[in-house]
Amino acid sequence: MNRTAVPSCDAAKLPRYAEIRRELEHAILSGRWPPGRRVPSEHDLVAWYGCARMTVNKALSELAAAGLIVRHRRAGSFVAVPANDQSILEIHDIEAEARSDGKAYRFELLGRALRKATRADAARLGVKPGAPVLALASVHFVDGAPFAAEDRLINLDAVPRARDIDFTTRTPGGWLLAQIPWSRARHRISAINADAAMARALRIARGAACLVVSRETWQQEVPITQVDLSHSGESHHLVAHFSPAGRRRDGSGKHRQP
Amino acid sequence: MNRTAVPSCDAAKLPRYAEIRRELEHAILSGRWPPGRRVPSEHDLVAWYGCARMTVNKALSELAAAGLIVRHRRAGSFVAVPANDQSILEIHDIEAEARSDGKAYRFELLGRALRKATRADAARLGVKPGAPVLALASVHFVDGAPFAAEDRLINLDAVPRARDIDFTTRTPGGWLLAQIPWSRARHRISAINADAAMARALRIARGAACLVVSRETWQQEVPITQVDLSHSGESHHLVAHFSPAGRRRDGSGKHRQP
DNA sequence: GAGTGGTCTAGACCACTGA
DNA sequence: CAGTGGTCTAGACCACTCA
């Protein structure tokens, strides 16, 4: 009926279902609908948008496929609790993995600095030099042994509350994850030889191979945090499963047909 | 109408669209429908399966989302050409990346062995000891400098043609990719200190940190190949982009709602 | 022009499960 | 029981593009 209805905001050429998906997505990623919050039922959305149920179903199905919501018959749809950060890549999630294996987990904050972003900070985090950042250095221990060294920057313009959090009791990663739903992350994985400081922190030999996972996280194009996690190479590896083509990524639309 | 129609083979409880998707998927992954081959139109499939167009549309849409087919109005649907192996993880694809950067690429086969799988081979590749395997060792050069050392096993029961291929002119990865559409891959990423042989192959110092990407590839649960790619740590890193939850993976259905 | 996919409709039945 | 999502139907109009 309302083919020409005004689409609430941006006059897009999006199909109806994509428009609906975008609006819900925004409500979720902006934090307006927190994890666990109930999403309106298909029936409600049909009434709200004035379209057929299959249309809202397609929008909701895509959100479910993207992992933003979970759906259950009779119970309804709910904003998903953010997946555990590292498990996305099926990277060993330090704390959760350790605890689920019945191992002891401990976290030690080595340093905390509140500062205006240096040029190096700005490059790492993707903010402008001078922007307020929180720098944290810490070590994760599993069963008493150092497991990973963490070096993190947090964009305080995006997460001002972080300024007042006591990160000696909560891991920055865990806190951020619970606070900020992220919409995009980039991992860079590399190998380095441990320098003196890292060797000391991880209690390994100088020069031992370390696996470094650098992660930048964004919420709607705003940088949230950047973290370097360095693991002793011999005690750690990352695992990832894939199917052909996976998700289409931004710059990789390489489809062709003859 | 034919709610009870016989589903061609396995008496599954799958919904109709999933059944259709599975059949098409099998035709593609088995190689029966080679890349570029035209997929029957929605109209044809509606006639064939005797269901509504939306149902086959859902099956085809999922295949397109999974990257197995590409679809174009008027032109029809086609089996996708297999995506470039490594670009899946946005790993630097050695040859393609080098060439697209205008750099020289060269490949050198160091060793080739046809043998019955040893116990170690069997564990690496996931076949039974004694199964025929082809072992290949090689080095990839970019701009004249060694870029990665490759150590590969190929399951000859799955890819008998590999026995007769001259891998001094074609890279095993490139050949396999063109031959065998894969349905699943697992990457293991770790860091090691270069041993003497690797230091020699990559022309780096003994003990230098190396990034090792181990990849196992399956076609419908049949192991195809296993490869260890070792890169000099300082010259290489992997990059991966993610959105929340990404694709649901086999063992990671950790969704919960309150 | 005609065939294709992209989207949408206005219904329908069913399975599941919380109240 | 009643509400929810999962699936399906039998149509429809449109945009695109090849012949």
Side-chain angles (χ1 to χ4, degrees):
Chain A
M1 35 197 72
N2 58 354
R3 297 301 293 121
T4 62
V6 356
S8 87
C9 50
D10 45 316
K13 287 276 292 70
L14 288 176
R16 203 88 174 86
Y17 77 90
E19 198 179 294
I20 295 170
R21 174 168 54 71
R22 259 179 49 89
E23 287 194 15
L24 301 179
E25 204 170 65
H26 186 263
I28 293 168
L29 290 178
S30 71
R32 188 152 49 87
W33 289 358
R37 184 195 146 121
R38 175 155 196 173
V39 174
S41 72
E42 296 192 352
H43 180 82
D44 294 344
L45 292 171
V46 162
W48 179 257
Y49 287 103
C51 60
R53 190 179 151 220
M54 285 254 7
T55 305
V56 301
N57 177 275
K58 182 159 185 173
L60 290 172
S61 296
E62 289 192 359
L63 289 176
L68 283 180
I69 65 174
V70 289
R71 318 193 68 197
H72 291 280
R73 288 172 158 131
R74 165 69 207 189
S77 302
F78 301 84
V79 176
V81 311
N84 198 314
D85 200 355
Q86 306 201 35
S87 70
I88 302 315
L89 225 184
E90 297 192 33
I91 294 172
H92 288 184
D93 171 24
I94 304 171
E95 179 163 9
E97 194 109 349
R99 294 202 189 284
S100 75
D101 285 359
K103 294 180 178 168
Y105 173 81
R106 185 166 60 87
F107 170 78
E108 193 174 310
L109 187 65
L110 301 181
R112 178 183 188 284
L114 195 63
R115 62 175 180 243
K116 303 278 180 197
T118 64
R119 211 170 286 272
D121 292 341
R124 271 181 65 187
L125 188 52
V127 298
K128 290 182 179 161
V133 299
L134 183 62
L136 301 165
S138 54
V139 181
H140 301 263
F141 293 82
V142 171
D143 268 353
F147 190 75
E150 173 176 323
D151 183 11
R152 183 184 293 268
L153 287 180
I154 299 174
N155 176 9
L156 287 177
D157 279 340
V159 202
R161 283 167 296 180
R163 196 188 300 259
D164 307 314
I165 302 298
D166 174 14
F167 286 118
T168 60
T169 56
R170 309 198 56 166
T171 65
W175 182 82
L176 279 167
L177 213 56
Q179 296 294 313
I180 310 290
W182 55 285
S183 59
R184 193 159 64 87
R186 181 176 64 198
H187 291 79
R188 275 204 202 84
I189 304 166
S190 54
I192 62 168
N193 292 100
D195 61 16
M198 187 167 301
R200 198 163 44 242
L202 293 178
R203 290 184 211 152
I204 55 180
R206 266 195 68 174
C210 291
L211 191 63
V212 183
V213 177
S214 291
R215 182 189 310 125
E216 289 178 86
T217 312
W218 293 267
Q219 182 194 0
Q220 310 271 60
E221 307 312 313
V222 176
I224 301 295
T225 186
Q226 193 277 346
V227 60
D228 291 344
L229 278 165
S230 306
H231 309 81
S232 159
E234 51 185 54
S235 68
H236 200 74
H237 60 253
L238 312 178
V239 179
H241 289 265
F242 289 93
S243 298
R247 278 184 172 291
R248 279 97 44 248
R249 295 256 83 79
D250 333 341
S252 63
K254 307 177 179 170
H255 293 317
R256 282 226 320 275
Q257 95 292 352
Chain B
M1 35 196 72
N2 59 354
R3 298 300 293 122
T4 62
V6 356
S8 87
C9 49
D10 44 317
K13 285 279 291 68
L14 288 176
R16 204 86 174 84
Y17 78 88
E19 197 179 294
I20 296 171
R21 173 169 54 72
R22 260 180 48 90
E23 287 194 13
L24 301 179
E25 204 170 64
H26 186 261
I28 293 167
L29 291 177
S30 71
R32 188 150 50 86
W33 290 357
R37 184 196 146 122
R38 176 156 196 170
V39 174
S41 74
E42 296 192 351
H43 180 82
D44 295 345
L45 292 172
V46 161
W48 179 256
Y49 287 104
C51 62
R53 190 178 151 221
M54 286 252 9
T55 305
V56 301
N57 177 276
K58 181 158 186 173
L60 290 172
S61 296
E62 290 192 358
L63 290 176
L68 283 180
I69 65 174
V70 290
R71 318 192 69 196
H72 291 281
R73 287 173 157 129
R74 165 68 207 192
S77 302
F78 301 83
V79 176
V81 311
N84 196 314
D85 199 356
Q86 305 203 33
S87 71
I88 302 315
L89 223 184
E90 296 192 34
I91 293 173
H92 289 184
D93 172 23
I94 305 171
E95 179 162 11
E97 194 110 349
R99 294 201 190 284
S100 74
D101 285 1
K103 294 178 177 168
Y105 174 81
R106 185 165 60 86
F107 171 77
E108 192 175 310
L109 187 65
L110 301 180
R112 178 183 187 281
L114 195 64
R115 61 177 180 243
K116 302 278 180 199
T118 65
R119 209 170 287 270
D121 293 340
R124 269 181 67 187
L125 188 53
V127 297
K128 288 183 179 161
V133 299
L134 182 61
L136 301 165
S138 52
V139 181
H140 302 263
F141 292 82
V142 171
D143 268 354
F147 190 76
E150 174 175 324
D151 183 10
R152 184 183 292 270
L153 286 179
I154 299 174
N155 177 9
L156 287 177
D157 279 339
V159 202
R161 283 166 297 178
R163 196 187 299 258
D164 307 313
I165 303 297
D166 175 14
F167 287 118
T168 60
T169 57
R170 310 199 54 168
T171 65
W175 181 82
L176 280 167
L177 212 56
Q179 297 295 312
I180 309 291
W182 54 283
S183 59
R184 193 160 64 88
R186 181 176 63 199
H187 291 79
R188 275 204 202 85
I189 303 165
S190 54
I192 63 167
N193 292 100
D195 61 16
M198 187 167 301
R200 197 163 45 242
L202 294 178
R203 291 187 210 148
I204 55 180
R206 267 196 67 174
C210 291
L211 192 62
V212 183
V213 177
S214 292
R215 182 189 308 125
E216 290 178 85
T217 313
W218 293 267
Q219 181 194 2
Q220 309 270 61
E221 307 310 314
V222 177
I224 301 295
T225 186
Q226 193 276 346
V227 59
D228 290 344
L229 278 165
S230 306
H231 310 80
S232 160
E234 51 185 55
S235 68
H236 199 76
H237 61 252
L238 313 178
V239 178
H241 288 266
F242 289 93
S243 297
R247 277 181 175 292
R248 280 96 46 250
R249 295 256 82 80
D250 331 342
S252 63
K254 305 177 179 171
H255 294 317
R256 283 226 319 276
Q257 92 293 351

